[in-house]
Amino acid sequence: MKRIVVLTGAGISAESGISTFRDASGLWRNYRFEELATPEAWDRNPELVMEFYNMRRKQLFEVEPNAAHYALVELEEKYDVHIITQNVDDLHERAGSTNVLHLHGELKKARSTVAPNLVYELDRWELKIGDKCEKGSQLRPHIVWFGEAVPMIGPAAEISSTADIFIIIGTSLVVYPAAGLTDYAKPDIPKFYIDPGASYAGGISNLTIIQKKAGEGVPEIVNSLMKR
Ligand code: NAD
């Protein structure tokens, strides 16, 4: 079975109604995304950071996967599909994808501030100051903030290096180290980049750019891959 590795970003969830990173700037009380998604912001004003993620989590309980998420599930009938997502939403899992690696954490999880391995599923949107882990420390969103290490980058690079086909969807390829994963894909394998704003092609060999929204471009590429 050929292996398809899919790298997704905020753009794949845009048609589900979740703002992309760039669109979100300024939308939320005039703070920029980068100002709230940092350890410094948490130290300075944990209530504000908590509220920001609570609002995003609340929205996540109200949206659904779209045609692009569902099309990727179909690929599993014929290929060994591995999704590497920069997204913190759970729309790939809710659509039915079985191999999903979250590079930047998960909105529906919280973790201990003293023991990072203590991670808890949240079945509600609200996380509060005073919500504690079993060791008695405050819980924080299970998110990789700007300036923090990305623990899953090693496994993601390993998976990328084993791809027979590499698909990039809805990402501006500006946030590192995620954007660097394309460097691990073998030069000669076919690569596809589906994003209406895609213009970046520098350094990625054998790349086909499809300037379409994910909801249209992903089902199309999946159809053609299913006929191969
Ligand atoms: P980004 O905002 O930098 O780029 C989004 C990309 O999506 C752009 O290139 C844009 O052209 C494209 N896009 C917009 N609408 C699209 C559509 N309908 N179909 C396909 N593509 C579309 O986001 P990024 O590259 O993912 O990186 C930003 C960071 O923001 C990531 O680390 C991610 O964790 C975080 N983020 C996540 C979510 C989420 O979980 N859904 C939402 C916002 C931001």
Side-chain angles (χ1 to χ4, degrees), residues 14 25 27 40-41 48 68 73 75 80-81 86 114 128 141 153 155 167 179 182 187 199-200 215:
S25 297
L27 271 186
E40 293 76 21
L48 181 74
V73 181
L75 270 185
D80 173 29
V81 181
Q86 298 167 83
V114 295
K128 296 193 201 113
I153 197 70
I167 307 176
T182 55
S199 56
Y200 174 89

Side-chain angles (χ1 to χ4, degrees), residues 132-182:
K132 296 194 170 143
C133 77
E134 65 212 54
K135 289 184 186 286
S137 87
Q138 175 63 45
L139 289 174
R140 59 164 270 183
H142 183 50
I143 299 288
V144 176
W145 285 326
F146 288 97
E148 292 188 317
V150 181
M152 295 308 284
I153 197 70
E158 177 69 32
I159 293 167
S160 300
S161 71
T162 60
D164 297 305
I165 297 170
F166 199 93
I167 307 176
I168 306 158
I169 306 166
T171 172
S172 52
L173 291 176
V174 294
V175 177
Y176 279 81
L181 285 173
T182 55

